[in-house]
Every structure is written in structure tokens, then in C-alpha cells.
Amino acid sequence: MSNQLTINNLTLFRGEKYLFKGISFVLSSGDLILITGPNGSGKTTMLRAIAGLLEPEVGKVSWNQKSISNNRQTYHENISFISHTHGLKGSLSIIENLKFEANLHNYRLDNIEDALERLSLQLIKNIPFKHLSAGQKRRASLARLMLNDSALWLLDEPTSNLDTDAHDIFKELLNEHILNKGLCVLATHHPDAFDGSKSVIELT
């Protein structure tokens, strides 16, 4: 199935000043777009707006030609949003977090072992999330992407704190997602590290 994300004139303020203004683009199946800019330029805020977690002052986000404000449940069933906060519970181990996520969203449980293996998490899968290093936490959060077949990935600095091997694994996962007709909006300080993007939006 072909999917399309349409961002039309997206505008948000910070206080009395524009955080960003008039952002528009169309993303279709198999497309990757990068959002770049310094800290504080609005990359995370834009991703949150695209995810439907906050309302823009101006503009509209549409999924398959329907405004997400009128189609929120269906839209959220089609997205995976990975942010700086990881979205995993500190008191639970990696595998407990992934099982909780799978049961909550009715994902396939047999994908969990594949995700742990792919991201080199097998040896630490029973350690509480709060005791992991920053890089291990990031790999655990990326494992969530392998539990489901969400069409749209919204990723906020997904390679932060990753070593070279984990960075390469993530790029493989991303390339597979795009080749399988997935869509991705990715915020990053390092756009040159990603090949094949449709375009780059630079915030200032």
C-alpha cells in the first residue's frame, strides 16, 4: 500500500517569535527527509507536531490526504516516534519493556528476539533500563522499531550516543525500511551521514 504524509504551511511560535514558519513538504512511500539545525531551532518541536502531539499555530498535517486531527487514531497506528526520552520504563528490563510494548500494541512477540540479536542487546536484556549506558538506552529504543511494521518513522537524533557498529546497524534498518516503501522524517545534526534522502529542511 502506498502512503503519503503532507505538511502544509506548518508554523510554530516560541513566545512572540517564530520557531519556524511556513514549512511544507510531501513525503511518499520510500521517501526519507532530514531536518537539520542547531540546538533550539525547533527540530524536536516539529517532529512532535508531525506526530500530532502538539497543535501548530498555523498549518496542517495530513496522512493519505486526511487531516490527522480528524483521523488521529488511524494515524497513530501507522507511526513510530523515537525521541530523546526513549519511551521505555526505567524500572523494567529491556526485554520486559519490549514485551510490554508488543502486548500493548498487539505486535508479534517473536520479533523481540530478532530485535535483541540485531542490536546486540542479548547479553543485557535483563538489566533494568535505568541502569543502562546512554548508548545502550538508544539501542534499546531503536529495537522498538523492529517490533512493528509502522509505515512512518519519526526519529529525533536516532544515532546519538551510538558507537560505530550500532550506527551502521541503524543505517541498515533505515535503508530496509525505505526499500520496503516506508517513510521517515529524521532530525539530525549530521545530515551527511545519511544517503538517499529526498531533501533536507534546515532550521535556523
Side-chain angles (χ1 to χ4, degrees), residues 95-147:
I95 193 165
E96 287 171 335
N97 267 294
L98 295 180
K99 286 181 177 179
F100 176 82
E101 187 86 5
N103 287 322
L104 181 65
H105 298 289
N106 199 30
Y107 299 152
R108 291 174 51 189
L109 290 172
D110 57 357
N111 287 345
I112 292 177
E113 291 300 322
D114 290 340
L116 293 171
E117 183 71 27
R118 186 79 177 270
L119 286 152
S120 303
L121 295 168
Q122 283 282 9
L123 296 179
I124 59 172
K125 65 181 181 181
N126 294 312
I127 297 176
F129 184 77
K130 62 185 177 183
H131 295 317
L132 301 178
S133 70
Q136 290 168 339
K137 288 179 178 178
R138 176 55 66 180
R139 282 190 282 132
S141 68
L142 293 176
R144 295 170 57 205
L145 293 174
M146 296 184 61
L147 299 186

Side-chain angles (χ1 to χ4, degrees), residues 1-5 26-31 63-65 78 151-152 180-183:
M1 177 182 176
S2 180
N3 292 294
Q4 187 176 83
L5 174 72
V26 177
L27 207 63
S28 300
S29 295
D31 286 342
W63 178 249
N64 293 332
Q65 289 77 52
N78 281 277
L152 173 61
N180 288 326
K181 302 302 181 182
L183 304 81

Side-chain angles (χ1 to χ4, degrees), residues 163-189:
D163 59 23
T164 301
D165 289 342
H167 188 284
D168 290 342
I169 292 169
F170 168 72
K171 288 183 67 174
E172 290 175 3
L173 293 174
L174 178 61
N175 289 336
E176 289 169 9
H177 178 66
I178 297 302
L179 287 173
N180 288 326
K181 302 302 181 182
L183 304 81
C184 183
V185 182
L186 190 155
T188 179
H189 286 295

